[in-house]
């Protein structure tokens, strides 16, 4: 799947964000090695600590359906700037792939991309 289409999936997912506190809507779409796409949006909670980011929603949906290997993830915020995943999401994504491509888009569909390893060098990882 081309990156532009992955960004479009993330933009659509952003429409479903539940962000009554920050009003910062985020959408994400993750591409499995098998070519399947799972999307997610941020879901906030009044206790803040229970809020979950769009990236982790997309990833957990995919993992819950048996997918554990990923090629790319697209992230789009409700702003004109490119929105990178937060530190917690980077660590969770790294659990499944160090060479995942992270495509950071904006509401206009423009994007920049980096390897996850570039965004989280020296990530914590238990060897199994």
């Amino acid at each position: 799947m081309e990156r532009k289409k992955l960004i479009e999936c993330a933009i659509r997912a952003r429409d479903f964000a539940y962000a009554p506190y920050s009003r910062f809507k985020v959408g994400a779409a993750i591409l499995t090695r098998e070519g399947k796409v799972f999307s997610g949006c941020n879901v906030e909670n009044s206790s803040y600590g229970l809020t979950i980011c769009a990236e982790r929603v997309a990833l957990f949906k995919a993992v819950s359906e048996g997918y554990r290997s990923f090629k790319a993830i697209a992230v789009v915020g409700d702003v004109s700037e490119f929105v990178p995943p937060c530190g917690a999401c980077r660590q969770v994504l790294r659990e499944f792939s160090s060479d995942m491509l992270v495509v950071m888009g904006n509401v206009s569909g423009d994007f920049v991309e980096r390897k996850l390893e570039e965004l989280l060098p020296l990530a914590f990882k238990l060897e199994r």
Side-chain angles (χ1 to χ4, degrees):
M1 170 180 274
E2 72 179 73
R3 291 159 177 83
K4 194 82 173 168
K5 289 190 187 265
L6 201 58
I7 288 289
E8 290 169 5
C9 289
I11 289 172
R12 282 194 302 274
R14 189 198 59 194
D15 291 340
F16 297 107
Y18 178 74
Y21 307 105
S22 72
R23 302 196 190 290
F24 185 64
K25 294 183 173 187
V26 180
I30 193 165
L31 175 64
T32 70
R33 297 248 180 237
E34 295 82 2
K36 189 162 172 102
V37 174
F38 291 87
S39 61
C41 62
N42 56 326
V43 180
E44 294 182 348
N45 185 275
S46 59
S47 70
Y48 296 118
L50 297 178
T51 294
I52 187 166
C53 299
E55 300 91 318
R56 281 181 278 157
V57 170
L59 176 73
F60 294 162
K61 283 171 67 178
V63 171
S64 72
E65 294 196 22
Y67 294 91
R68 303 267 165 91
S69 184
F70 305 97
K71 292 173 71 174
I73 187 166
V75 184
V76 176
D78 214 8
V79 292
S80 59
E81 295 84 19
F82 303 121
V83 177
C86 73
C89 287
R90 293 176 196 192
Q91 181 64 45
V92 172
L93 292 168
R94 174 59 180 84
E95 182 75 19
F96 295 93
S97 174
S98 63
D99 67 343
M100 182 185 307
L101 187 65
V102 179
V103 184
M104 297 162 280
N106 64 18
V107 290
S108 299
D110 301 321
F111 62 89
V112 295
E113 57 187 42
R114 300 285 185 274
K115 289 286 189 183
L116 180 58
E117 197 168 38
E118 292 177 75
L119 298 177
L120 187 65
L122 304 173
F124 177 78
K125 177 84 173 158
L126 287 177
E127 296 301 323
R128 290 180 250 161

